[in-house]
Structure formats: C-alpha cells, structure tokens
Short mmCIF file of all heavy atoms in Angstrom, two decimals:
data_model
loop_
_atom_site.label_atom_id
_atom_site.label_comp_id
_atom_site.label_asym_id
_atom_site.label_seq_id
_atom_site.Cartn_x
_atom_site.Cartn_y
_atom_site.Cartn_z
N GLY A 1 -34.53 82.70 -31.17
CA GLY A 1 -33.99 84.07 -31.22
C GLY A 1 -33.12 84.28 -32.44
O GLY A 1 -33.08 85.44 -32.94
N SER A 2 -32.51 83.26 -32.91
CA SER A 2 -31.75 83.37 -34.20
C SER A 2 -31.49 81.90 -34.60
O SER A 2 -31.78 81.02 -33.93
CB SER A 2 -30.43 84.16 -34.04
OG SER A 2 -29.54 83.44 -33.10
N ILE A 3 -30.98 81.81 -35.82
CA ILE A 3 -30.73 80.46 -36.39
C ILE A 3 -29.69 79.77 -35.45
O ILE A 3 -28.76 80.32 -34.99
CB ILE A 3 -30.25 80.49 -37.85
CG1 ILE A 3 -30.18 79.11 -38.47
CG2 ILE A 3 -28.85 81.27 -37.89
CD1 ILE A 3 -29.95 79.11 -39.97
N PHE A 4 -29.94 78.49 -35.30
CA PHE A 4 -29.11 77.65 -34.41
C PHE A 4 -27.88 77.18 -35.25
O PHE A 4 -28.01 76.34 -36.14
CB PHE A 4 -29.84 76.50 -33.91
CG PHE A 4 -29.00 75.67 -32.88
CD1 PHE A 4 -28.69 76.25 -31.69
CD2 PHE A 4 -28.69 74.37 -33.20
CE1 PHE A 4 -27.95 75.43 -30.72
CE2 PHE A 4 -27.89 73.67 -32.31
CZ PHE A 4 -27.58 74.12 -31.03
N SER A 5 -26.74 77.82 -34.95
CA SER A 5 -25.51 77.36 -35.53
C SER A 5 -24.42 77.45 -34.38
O SER A 5 -24.23 78.50 -33.81
CB SER A 5 -25.13 78.31 -36.67
OG SER A 5 -23.86 77.92 -37.25
N PHE A 6 -23.82 76.35 -34.16
CA PHE A 6 -22.90 76.28 -32.99
C PHE A 6 -21.52 75.84 -33.37
O PHE A 6 -21.29 75.12 -34.29
CB PHE A 6 -23.51 75.34 -31.94
CG PHE A 6 -23.47 73.87 -32.32
CD1 PHE A 6 -22.35 73.11 -31.91
CD2 PHE A 6 -24.52 73.32 -32.96
CE1 PHE A 6 -22.32 71.77 -32.31
CE2 PHE A 6 -24.48 71.95 -33.30
CZ PHE A 6 -23.37 71.17 -33.00
N SER A 7 -20.57 76.31 -32.54
CA SER A 7 -19.23 75.78 -32.51
C SER A 7 -19.09 74.66 -31.40
O SER A 7 -18.29 73.75 -31.58
CB SER A 7 -18.21 76.83 -32.22
OG SER A 7 -18.23 77.82 -33.25
N TYR A 8 -19.89 74.82 -30.31
CA TYR A 8 -19.82 74.00 -29.23
C TYR A 8 -21.08 73.97 -28.48
O TYR A 8 -21.70 75.06 -28.30
CB TYR A 8 -18.64 74.46 -28.28
CG TYR A 8 -18.50 73.76 -26.94
CD1 TYR A 8 -17.66 72.72 -26.80
CD2 TYR A 8 -19.20 74.25 -25.86
CE1 TYR A 8 -17.50 72.16 -25.55
CE2 TYR A 8 -19.06 73.69 -24.58
CZ TYR A 8 -18.20 72.62 -24.44
OH TYR A 8 -18.02 71.99 -23.24
N MET A 9 -21.58 72.77 -28.07
CA MET A 9 -22.80 72.69 -27.26
C MET A 9 -22.56 71.63 -26.19
O MET A 9 -21.92 70.53 -26.55
CB MET A 9 -23.99 72.35 -28.07
CG MET A 9 -25.28 72.28 -27.33
SD MET A 9 -25.82 73.93 -26.67
CE MET A 9 -26.38 74.77 -28.18
N ALA A 10 -23.03 71.90 -24.98
CA ALA A 10 -22.70 71.03 -23.91
C ALA A 10 -23.91 70.85 -23.01
O ALA A 10 -24.81 71.69 -22.92
CB ALA A 10 -21.50 71.40 -23.12
N TRP A 11 -23.98 69.74 -22.24
CA TRP A 11 -24.87 69.50 -21.22
C TRP A 11 -24.06 69.53 -19.90
O TRP A 11 -23.08 68.79 -19.78
CB TRP A 11 -25.65 68.18 -21.28
CG TRP A 11 -26.72 68.24 -22.36
CD1 TRP A 11 -26.58 67.80 -23.66
CD2 TRP A 11 -27.99 68.73 -22.18
NE1 TRP A 11 -27.82 68.03 -24.31
CE2 TRP A 11 -28.65 68.53 -23.45
CE3 TRP A 11 -28.81 69.30 -21.11
CZ2 TRP A 11 -30.05 68.93 -23.61
CZ3 TRP A 11 -30.06 69.59 -21.34
CH2 TRP A 11 -30.65 69.46 -22.51
N HIS A 12 -24.53 70.27 -18.96
CA HIS A 12 -24.01 70.24 -17.58
C HIS A 12 -25.11 69.82 -16.67
O HIS A 12 -26.30 69.90 -16.91
CB HIS A 12 -23.51 71.68 -17.18
CG HIS A 12 -22.36 72.11 -17.96
ND1 HIS A 12 -21.09 72.46 -17.46
CD2 HIS A 12 -22.26 72.47 -19.29
CE1 HIS A 12 -20.32 72.91 -18.39
NE2 HIS A 12 -20.97 72.93 -19.50
N ARG A 13 -24.64 69.42 -15.42
CA ARG A 13 -25.62 69.13 -14.35
C ARG A 13 -25.15 69.60 -13.06
O ARG A 13 -24.01 69.70 -12.78
CB ARG A 13 -25.96 67.61 -14.35
CG ARG A 13 -24.83 66.76 -13.88
CD ARG A 13 -25.29 65.29 -13.98
NE ARG A 13 -24.22 64.36 -13.58
CZ ARG A 13 -24.30 63.03 -13.71
NH1 ARG A 13 -25.40 62.49 -14.30
NH2 ARG A 13 -23.30 62.32 -13.26
N GLN A 14 -26.11 69.95 -12.19
CA GLN A 14 -25.85 70.44 -10.84
C GLN A 14 -26.75 69.80 -9.86
O GLN A 14 -27.94 70.01 -9.84
CB GLN A 14 -25.94 71.92 -10.77
CG GLN A 14 -25.50 72.53 -9.45
CD GLN A 14 -25.41 74.04 -9.57
OE1 GLN A 14 -25.97 74.67 -10.39
NE2 GLN A 14 -24.60 74.60 -8.67
N ALA A 15 -26.22 68.89 -8.95
CA ALA A 15 -26.98 68.23 -7.95
C ALA A 15 -27.17 69.23 -6.78
O ALA A 15 -26.33 70.18 -6.61
CB ALA A 15 -26.29 66.94 -7.47
N SER A 16 -28.11 69.11 -5.96
CA SER A 16 -28.43 69.92 -4.82
C SER A 16 -27.15 70.05 -3.96
O SER A 16 -26.58 69.06 -3.48
CB SER A 16 -29.62 69.40 -4.09
OG SER A 16 -29.87 70.31 -2.96
N GLY A 17 -26.73 71.30 -3.73
CA GLY A 17 -25.57 71.53 -2.83
C GLY A 17 -24.26 71.24 -3.48
O GLY A 17 -23.22 71.37 -2.81
N LYS A 18 -24.19 70.96 -4.79
CA LYS A 18 -22.99 70.58 -5.45
C LYS A 18 -22.64 71.62 -6.55
O LYS A 18 -23.46 72.41 -6.93
CB LYS A 18 -23.03 69.17 -6.06
CG LYS A 18 -23.34 68.09 -5.07
CD LYS A 18 -22.18 67.97 -4.08
CE LYS A 18 -22.48 66.81 -3.04
NZ LYS A 18 -22.61 65.43 -3.65
N GLN A 19 -21.42 71.51 -7.18
CA GLN A 19 -21.02 72.34 -8.22
C GLN A 19 -21.60 71.86 -9.51
O GLN A 19 -22.09 70.65 -9.66
CB GLN A 19 -19.45 72.28 -8.38
CG GLN A 19 -18.70 72.91 -7.18
CD GLN A 19 -17.24 72.99 -7.41
OE1 GLN A 19 -16.51 73.43 -6.57
NE2 GLN A 19 -16.74 72.60 -8.61
N ARG A 20 -21.65 72.73 -10.42
CA ARG A 20 -22.13 72.39 -11.81
C ARG A 20 -21.02 71.74 -12.60
O ARG A 20 -19.97 72.31 -12.75
CB ARG A 20 -22.64 73.61 -12.56
CG ARG A 20 -23.35 73.33 -13.82
CD ARG A 20 -23.90 74.59 -14.49
NE ARG A 20 -24.92 75.26 -13.60
CZ ARG A 20 -25.72 76.30 -13.92
NH1 ARG A 20 -25.58 76.82 -15.09
NH2 ARG A 20 -26.55 76.76 -13.01
N ASP A 21 -21.26 70.51 -13.09
CA ASP A 21 -20.21 69.73 -13.78
C ASP A 21 -20.65 69.45 -15.23
O ASP A 21 -21.79 69.23 -15.58
CB ASP A 21 -19.97 68.42 -13.07
CG ASP A 21 -19.41 68.57 -11.63
OD1 ASP A 21 -18.66 69.52 -11.50
OD2 ASP A 21 -19.68 67.76 -10.80
N LEU A 22 -19.63 69.37 -16.06
CA LEU A 22 -19.81 69.02 -17.47
C LEU A 22 -20.15 67.51 -17.60
O LEU A 22 -19.54 66.70 -17.03
CB LEU A 22 -18.55 69.30 -18.24
CG LEU A 22 -18.52 68.87 -19.74
CD1 LEU A 22 -19.63 69.67 -20.52
CD2 LEU A 22 -17.19 69.13 -20.35
N VAL A 23 -21.22 67.18 -18.32
CA VAL A 23 -21.70 65.87 -18.59
C VAL A 23 -21.28 65.36 -19.97
O VAL A 23 -20.75 64.31 -20.16
CB VAL A 23 -23.23 65.76 -18.37
CG1 VAL A 23 -23.77 64.40 -18.77
CG2 VAL A 23 -23.60 66.13 -16.94
N ALA A 24 -21.62 66.21 -20.99
CA ALA A 24 -21.36 65.82 -22.36
C ALA A 24 -21.21 67.06 -23.26
O ALA A 24 -21.81 68.07 -22.85
CB ALA A 24 -22.44 64.84 -22.92
N ALA A 25 -20.53 66.94 -24.32
CA ALA A 25 -20.36 68.05 -25.18
C ALA A 25 -20.22 67.58 -26.61
O ALA A 25 -19.84 66.42 -26.90
CB ALA A 25 -19.09 68.84 -24.84
N ILE A 26 -20.64 68.43 -27.53
CA ILE A 26 -20.47 68.13 -28.98
C ILE A 26 -19.95 69.40 -29.62
O ILE A 26 -20.38 70.53 -29.32
CB ILE A 26 -21.80 67.69 -29.60
CG1 ILE A 26 -21.60 67.25 -31.04
CG2 ILE A 26 -22.83 68.70 -29.46
CD1 ILE A 26 -22.79 66.49 -31.60
N SER A 27 -18.95 69.30 -30.52
CA SER A 27 -18.40 70.43 -31.22
C SER A 27 -18.46 70.16 -32.78
O SER A 27 -18.64 69.09 -33.23
CB SER A 27 -16.94 70.63 -30.82
OG SER A 27 -16.14 69.51 -31.15
N SER A 28 -18.26 71.30 -33.46
CA SER A 28 -18.43 71.22 -34.98
C SER A 28 -17.07 71.22 -35.62
O SER A 28 -17.00 71.21 -36.85
CB SER A 28 -19.19 72.47 -35.42
OG SER A 28 -18.58 73.63 -35.11
N GLY A 29 -15.95 71.16 -34.80
CA GLY A 29 -14.69 71.20 -35.47
C GLY A 29 -14.18 69.88 -35.97
O GLY A 29 -14.82 68.85 -35.75
N GLY A 30 -13.00 69.86 -36.52
CA GLY A 30 -12.41 68.62 -36.93
C GLY A 30 -13.17 67.78 -37.97
O GLY A 30 -13.78 68.35 -38.85
N SER A 31 -13.14 66.54 -37.83
CA SER A 31 -13.64 65.58 -38.78
C SER A 31 -15.21 65.45 -38.59
O SER A 31 -15.73 64.46 -38.19
CB SER A 31 -13.03 64.23 -38.67
OG SER A 31 -13.15 63.71 -37.34
N GLY A 32 -15.91 66.55 -38.96
CA GLY A 32 -17.37 66.54 -38.88
C GLY A 32 -17.91 66.62 -37.50
O GLY A 32 -19.04 66.36 -37.25
N GLY A 33 -17.07 67.10 -36.56
CA GLY A 33 -17.48 67.28 -35.19
C GLY A 33 -16.94 66.15 -34.33
O GLY A 33 -16.47 65.13 -34.79
N SER A 34 -17.04 66.34 -32.99
CA SER A 34 -16.61 65.40 -32.06
C SER A 34 -17.48 65.46 -30.83
O SER A 34 -18.14 66.47 -30.62
CB SER A 34 -15.18 65.54 -31.75
OG SER A 34 -14.91 66.80 -31.14
N THR A 35 -17.44 64.44 -29.97
CA THR A 35 -18.16 64.41 -28.69
C THR A 35 -17.25 64.11 -27.53
O THR A 35 -16.15 63.50 -27.72
CB THR A 35 -19.24 63.42 -28.79
OG1 THR A 35 -18.71 62.07 -29.03
CG2 THR A 35 -20.32 63.73 -29.80
N TYR A 36 -17.74 64.50 -26.33
CA TYR A 36 -17.04 64.23 -25.11
C TYR A 36 -18.07 63.82 -24.10
O TYR A 36 -19.15 64.32 -24.05
CB TYR A 36 -16.32 65.53 -24.65
CG TYR A 36 -15.89 65.42 -23.15
CD1 TYR A 36 -14.67 64.84 -22.84
CD2 TYR A 36 -16.68 65.92 -22.17
CE1 TYR A 36 -14.25 64.74 -21.52
CE2 TYR A 36 -16.30 65.77 -20.79
CZ TYR A 36 -15.15 65.17 -20.48
OH TYR A 36 -14.75 65.11 -19.22
N TYR A 37 -17.67 62.86 -23.24
CA TYR A 37 -18.50 62.40 -22.15
C TYR A 37 -17.66 62.38 -20.86
O TYR A 37 -16.53 61.88 -20.92
CB TYR A 37 -19.15 61.01 -22.47
CG TYR A 37 -20.01 60.99 -23.68
CD1 TYR A 37 -19.48 60.66 -24.94
CD2 TYR A 37 -21.29 61.44 -23.61
CE1 TYR A 37 -20.32 60.66 -25.99
CE2 TYR A 37 -22.12 61.49 -24.71
CZ TYR A 37 -21.63 61.10 -25.90
OH TYR A 37 -22.44 61.08 -27.06
N ALA A 38 -18.31 62.74 -19.77
CA ALA A 38 -17.70 62.54 -18.47
C ALA A 38 -17.58 61.02 -18.18
O ALA A 38 -18.51 60.25 -18.64
CB ALA A 38 -18.51 63.26 -17.42
N ASP A 39 -16.64 60.64 -17.48
CA ASP A 39 -16.43 59.23 -17.14
C ASP A 39 -17.71 58.58 -16.52
O ASP A 39 -17.99 57.41 -16.74
CB ASP A 39 -15.24 59.00 -16.18
CG ASP A 39 -13.94 59.23 -16.94
OD1 ASP A 39 -13.88 59.13 -18.17
OD2 ASP A 39 -12.96 59.36 -16.16
N SER A 40 -18.37 59.38 -15.70
CA SER A 40 -19.55 58.87 -14.96
C SER A 40 -20.66 58.55 -15.84
O SER A 40 -21.58 57.75 -15.43
CB SER A 40 -19.98 59.85 -13.97
OG SER A 40 -20.32 61.13 -14.56
N VAL A 41 -20.72 58.99 -17.09
CA VAL A 41 -21.90 58.72 -17.97
C VAL A 41 -21.50 58.02 -19.26
O VAL A 41 -22.36 57.71 -20.07
CB VAL A 41 -22.60 60.08 -18.35
CG1 VAL A 41 -23.06 60.82 -17.10
CG2 VAL A 41 -21.79 60.96 -19.27
N LYS A 42 -20.22 57.80 -19.46
CA LYS A 42 -19.79 57.02 -20.68
C LYS A 42 -20.54 55.71 -20.85
O LYS A 42 -20.61 54.94 -19.90
CB LYS A 42 -18.31 56.85 -20.69
CG LYS A 42 -17.48 58.11 -20.97
CD LYS A 42 -16.00 57.75 -20.97
CE LYS A 42 -15.18 59.02 -21.31
NZ LYS A 42 -13.71 58.75 -21.15
N GLY A 43 -20.94 55.46 -22.03
CA GLY A 43 -21.68 54.24 -22.32
C GLY A 43 -23.20 54.27 -21.94
O GLY A 43 -23.93 53.35 -22.35
N ARG A 44 -23.60 55.30 -21.25
CA ARG A 44 -25.00 55.42 -20.88
C ARG A 44 -25.67 56.70 -21.51
O ARG A 44 -26.89 56.58 -21.81
CB ARG A 44 -25.13 55.58 -19.32
CG ARG A 44 -24.60 54.35 -18.53
CD ARG A 44 -24.93 54.52 -17.07
NE ARG A 44 -24.37 55.64 -16.47
CZ ARG A 44 -25.12 56.66 -15.87
NH1 ARG A 44 -26.37 56.53 -15.79
NH2 ARG A 44 -24.49 57.64 -15.32
N PHE A 45 -24.95 57.77 -21.70
CA PHE A 45 -25.56 58.93 -22.25
C PHE A 45 -24.97 59.18 -23.66
O PHE A 45 -23.84 58.83 -23.92
CB PHE A 45 -25.20 60.19 -21.41
CG PHE A 45 -25.78 60.23 -20.04
CD1 PHE A 45 -26.47 59.19 -19.47
CD2 PHE A 45 -25.77 61.41 -19.33
CE1 PHE A 45 -26.99 59.25 -18.22
CE2 PHE A 45 -26.34 61.49 -18.09
CZ PHE A 45 -27.00 60.42 -17.48
#
C-alpha cells in the first residue's frame, strides 16, 4: 500500500480463548534500533 518505513513493529499471538499478548518487537530508535522479547520466547525466537 505504501513504502515500508516503521518506527515500531511487533509480533503478537493469541491462543484460543486467551488474550492477545506481545511476543517480540523491533524499533528504529536509539542505536540503530532495538528488540524486545517476551520471557516465554527469549532465546528461541
């Protein structure tokens, strides 16, 4: 739809019957960007 340029992009997941939770995120700020991971996926995703 337009050129992809982001300040923030994230992956969320929603299991059946559960709330939608943040899994991982990447941002363009700071020192060339940064990442975040939920504790449940650190080291795997």
Side-chain angles (χ1 to χ4, degrees):
S2 65
I3 189 169
F4 184 69
S5 179
F6 70 91
S7 298
Y8 173 92
M9 182 66 74
W11 287 96
H12 295 244
R13 67 186 181 187
Q14 186 168 23
S16 182
K18 303 295 182 63
Q19 295 185 184
R20 188 175 299 186
D21 293 328
L22 176 63
V23 175
I26 186 166
S27 65
S28 60
S31 58
S34 61
T35 57
Y36 165 85
Y37 298 96
D39 288 343
S40 59
V41 307
K42 283 180 180 176
R44 300 189 298 121
F45 290 13

